[in-house]
Amino acid sequence: MPRHSEVPRREPASSSPNNQDVFIWSLYQLGGSDNDVDVEAIYLRSFELAPGRLGWRTRPELPDYKKTAKALQAAEARTHVGLVHRTSKYLRRLTSAGVIWVNDNR
């Protein structure tokens, strides 16, 4: 039987906004269903989609990489397990389960 961390997420997108959903949507919008995408591009797109959530506290016009990096870590390890494939240290791509999840939650 697969461990919990190996079972892809099947739950829909959250009813309230969260940074992990934003990360997955950003990866998809940047072509992550077909191509490897650099995490820095995903961080920037995530900030563009949710600047109020992912900006600095004192300079909200600036992206806070720690918040976006934390969203990536949480998505990969806890909240969206099985939806993102780490192709290298800095590159990510949606898995087939990730593409299905995005299409089901448009």
Side-chain angles (χ1 to χ4, degrees):
M1 180 168 184
R3 296 184 328 222
H4 173 69
S5 64
E6 295 173 351
V7 177
R9 176 185 171 118
R10 291 193 178 94
E11 294 83 18
S14 301
S15 59
S16 60
N18 71 59
N19 297 347
Q20 295 82 17
D21 283 351
V22 172
F23 185 89
I24 299 297
W25 286 109
S26 298
L27 176 55
Y28 177 78
Q29 289 182 353
L30 293 169
S33 57
D34 299 313
N35 301 297
D36 297 341
V37 180
D38 192 286
V39 293
E40 290 178 348
I42 305 166
Y43 294 168
L44 185 57
R45 181 65 184 143
S46 295
F47 173 72
E48 291 168 352
L49 291 175
R53 299 183 61 79
L54 299 169
W56 283 16
R57 178 182 48 81
T58 58
R59 301 273 310 272
E61 73 278 7
L62 297 175
D64 185 338
Y65 85 90
K66 288 184 181 182
K67 290 178 182 176
T68 53
K70 190 173 182 178
L72 165 62
Q73 292 167 353
E76 289 181 329
R78 294 187 311 276
T79 63
H80 293 66
V81 172
L83 303 187
V84 178
H85 176 64
R86 179 181 178 160
T87 57
S88 76
K89 183 176 181 180
Y90 299 113
L91 297 175
R92 300 297 186 276
R93 177 188 293 235
L94 288 171
T95 63
S96 57
V99 173
I100 291 168
W101 185 87
V102 168
N103 287 326
D104 286 349
N105 292 284
R106 285 184 186 206

